[in-house]
Amino acid sequence: MCTMGEPDRQMAQPAGARGLLERELEIPSRVDEITDRLVTAIAVGEYLPGARLPAERELAASLRVGRMTVRAALARLVEQGLVETRRSGRGGGTYVLQQWPESSTAAVGRTLTMRAHELRDRCDAICRIHGAVCRAAAEARTDRDIAVLRERLEAYRDAASGLASQQADSALHLAIMDAARNPVLKQVLLDLEASVSIGAPAHLWGEPETMPDMELRALRDHEALISAIADGRADDAEALARTHVAIDYEHISAAMRRAGVLAD
């Protein structure tokens, strides 16, 4: 008796059944990809230990996938011990437990290999746009803007290393964008930063071993940058900003080297 081969069985299936089968076969690879991206986002310091991940709906929108895909990826992160889910009241959510165990290295390598050239070009674009934003801030800032910038600078100076420092850094950079007095330019920069993100629109914060030195370096950059903006030195503000924001790609390059991926 002649048996039906695999291609013939697929041909014999109704069109609707074939479509369902194709979608089912696509789901695991999509979950794999999103799992790798979230593992990498944690490893390179977009989400630091102690940070709460965005809700499933927000992650799905940011990663441009369905909520079921995000849910499956998060379940894998729980199994790997990278995150835990807490379900008690307002403090509920998914929280990062550890940053880069050895088990994450393969996922980091896969993710950064796929996006290496894109990340390099987008980081370069962010440096240029951020320079334009800081030039605009130096030209358009008000006395109130200067006061807010100095408050945010002191908050960064006083913040503890890690998550608190990352959050203070984000608040300072948002204040600089507001001081530029150009909502369109601000949105262009925010959108571009979100497109560079591995898994979250946040500045990379590197690994625990390099974090304290990077935070001190960033503090010196922040001091010089806020001084230039406050004094109206537009050329200096632009140059300082472009150099400062290049730190993000340094973190990506360091992660590539650790994962065994050659960085440019």
Side-chain angles (χ1 to χ4, degrees):
M1 182 177 66
C2 181
T3 59
M4 186 179 293
E6 184 64 30
D8 295 324
R9 282 199 298 272
Q10 292 180 356
M11 289 293 294
Q13 292 175 335
R18 288 201 303 274
L20 178 60
L21 176 61
E22 290 168 359
R23 288 195 297 274
E24 288 175 346
L25 290 174
E26 289 173 357
I27 289 173
S29 62
R30 196 61 168 148
V31 173
D32 290 344
E33 176 192 345
I34 297 305
T35 301
D36 281 358
R37 285 187 64 177
L38 291 174
V39 168
T40 304
I42 292 170
V44 300
E46 284 190 304
Y47 296 118
L48 294 173
R52 181 168 64 177
L53 300 186
E56 286 180 4
R57 186 186 303 277
E58 295 174 50
L59 275 176
S62 175
L63 296 168
R64 298 182 180 180
V65 295
R67 289 182 65 181
M68 293 301 293
T69 299
V70 169
R71 186 171 301 170
L74 289 176
R76 292 187 183 181
L77 265 61
V78 170
E79 291 174 0
Q80 294 171 27
L82 293 175
V83 303
E84 68 173 358
T85 301
R86 305 173 191 168
R87 303 190 181 279
S88 56
R90 298 179 63 181
T94 302
Y95 289 81
V96 178
L97 294 177
Q98 56 178 326
Q99 188 167 350
W100 190 334
E102 188 57 38
S103 58
S104 294
T105 300
V108 175
R110 287 190 296 268
T111 301
L112 295 184
T113 297
M114 290 176 57
R115 301 193 64 196
H117 295 296
E118 174 199 351
L119 288 170
R120 180 196 59 201
D121 292 344
R122 288 181 181 270
C123 284
D124 178 66
I126 284 178
C127 289
R128 296 175 187 275
I129 299 298
H130 209 285
V133 167
C134 289
R135 168 178 284 277
E139 295 170 345
R141 82 282 183 271
T142 65
D143 289 344
R144 176 58 184 158
D145 291 328
I146 294 172
V148 171
L149 290 173
R150 287 175 173 158
E151 289 172 4
R152 299 285 173 84
L153 176 60
E154 288 307 307
Y156 179 82
R157 192 193 313 277
D158 295 339
S161 180
L163 180 59
S165 186
Q166 184 188 46
Q167 292 171 338
D169 175 84
S170 295
L172 175 58
H173 282 284
L174 284 172
I176 293 172
M177 295 178 205
D178 290 336
R181 301 286 163 182
N182 188 323
V184 174
L185 194 56
K186 175 182 178 180
Q187 193 59 52
V188 168
L189 180 55
L190 289 174
D191 290 345
L192 190 56
E193 288 181 339
S195 76
V196 169
S197 165
I198 308 297
H203 286 292
L204 282 65
W205 220 243
E207 299 179 60
E209 296 77 9
T210 61
M211 209 173 285
D213 287 342
M214 182 278 295
E215 290 165 345
L216 287 174
R217 171 184 166 188
L219 175 59
R220 293 192 293 269
D221 288 353
H222 289 157
E223 291 171 338
L225 180 55
I226 299 310
S227 176
I229 292 173
D231 294 344
R233 293 182 280 114
D235 288 345
D236 289 345
E238 180 174 4
L240 287 164
R242 289 177 65 164
T243 300
H244 171 64
V245 179
I247 291 175
D248 278 1
Y249 193 70
E250 291 179 25
H251 288 316
I252 292 172
S253 297
M256 288 180 179
R257 290 191 294 271
R258 175 170 173 176
V261 180
L262 294 177
D264 293 340

